[in-house]
Amino acid sequence: MTVRVLLVDDQELVRAGFRMILDAEPELEIVAEAADGLEALEAVDRHTVDVALMDIRMPNLDGIEATRRLLERSPETRVLMLTTFDLNEYVYETLRAGASGFMLKDARPEKLVEAIRVVADGNALLAPAITRRVIEEYVRRPHAGDGPPAELGELTSRELEVLRLVARGLSNGEIAGQLFLGETTVKTHVAHILQKLRLRDRVQAVVLAYESGLVLPSA
């Protein structure tokens, strides 16, 4: 299946580099490019986009707000954030906006291609350890919270257990090993968690788990 990709970065040289990498992959098709968030929204209106590679810092409309608006227009699109920093509050805010994951701009070409495929398949948490550090760094800072969502009360004790391990960055296979369950069973639990909490993917589940206090930042 062909994965339709939108490149969003204000630096033309960066887009050219990504284009060269992705053009070499027959199952990836670049359907459009954009130099800022506004152009990205226009591109989504004109094209069907499976994965948007989104820079964070851009003129006119940054990647955070662009992600939020893009997903309102095209909920089926997955957003993969590109950043030069692995610990960055902007990354956290973008995950809250609905991005499916993020990676560093200096990642190896094969890692970029793999990340696009993973996100396109609906598997969101690309770098669990890094994502967890971003969230832990943010939630340590004093900020007003709305408290845990009522939907958490709908989860069974087993589902809460699985959610805590997802938030710690464990894969389905690792969770299965720790809880002595089959991996298929874990996948079913994760699907039920996302459905009950009305979340898009694992990234949003991790964010919610930390923000609600279900999981506390490590010391």
Side-chain angles (χ1 to χ4, degrees):
M1 183 185 74
T2 300
V3 177
R4 294 156 294 201
V5 180
L6 166 64
L7 298 181
V8 188
D9 196 294
D10 61 329
Q11 297 183 44
E12 188 172 353
L13 280 176
V14 172
R15 297 200 309 273
F18 288 142
R19 190 188 318 118
M20 186 165 49
I21 294 169
L22 302 186
D23 280 345
E25 303 296 325
E27 76 278 19
L28 303 181
E29 177 189 359
I30 298 173
V31 295
E33 297 184 25
D36 60 39
L38 293 177
E39 290 186 8
L41 298 179
E42 293 173 358
V44 169
D45 287 340
R46 295 194 309 268
H47 304 277
T48 299
V49 176
D50 298 312
V51 177
L53 291 183
M54 181 82 71
D55 189 21
I56 292 180
R57 295 183 179 180
M58 295 181 294
N60 300 320
L61 188 67
D62 65 33
I64 298 171
E65 184 60 26
T67 295
R68 189 175 293 112
R69 295 188 195 180
L70 185 152
L71 293 175
E72 288 176 355
R73 297 185 186 204
S74 179
E76 300 80 16
T77 299
R78 296 279 172 164
V79 177
L80 177 61
M81 297 305 302
L82 299 166
T83 178
T84 53
F85 306 101
D86 64 342
L87 284 175
N88 187 322
E89 64 185 272
Y90 295 110
V91 174
Y92 176 82
E93 292 296 341
T94 310
L95 295 180
R96 291 192 70 203
S100 292
F102 71 94
M103 65 182 307
L104 301 179
K105 283 187 177 181
D106 61 0
R108 297 193 305 274
E110 61 269 23
K111 289 295 184 181
L112 174 64
V113 172
E114 178 186 1
I116 293 173
R117 290 172 178 155
V118 168
V119 168
D121 286 340
N123 300 310
L125 205 52
L126 304 178
I130 296 176
T131 303
R132 190 173 67 251
R133 292 208 319 271
V134 170
I135 294 170
E136 289 184 354
E137 175 73 17
Y138 186 86
V139 298
R140 280 196 183 95
R141 306 171 187 175
H143 65 288
D146 298 326
E151 289 82 3
L152 274 180
E154 298 179 13
L155 301 185
T156 66
S157 57
R158 176 63 86 185
E159 288 167 349
L160 285 170
E161 196 173 14
V162 170
L163 177 56
R164 288 189 181 96
L165 295 178
V166 168
R168 291 297 184 193
L170 274 65
S171 67
N172 286 347
E174 291 168 335
I175 295 172
Q178 187 155 327
L179 299 182
F180 303 102
L181 300 172
E183 190 167 348
T184 301
T185 301
V186 173
K187 290 175 70 174
T188 300
H189 282 313
V190 172
H192 288 164
I193 290 167
L194 298 181
Q195 182 180 24
K196 289 181 178 180
L197 298 180
R198 300 177 181 86
L199 302 174
R200 281 172 58 90
D201 50 41
R202 294 171 78 101
V203 168
Q204 290 195 328
V206 173
V207 171
L208 182 145
Y210 278 97
E211 286 190 333
S212 66
L214 183 67
V215 176
L216 300 177
S218 57

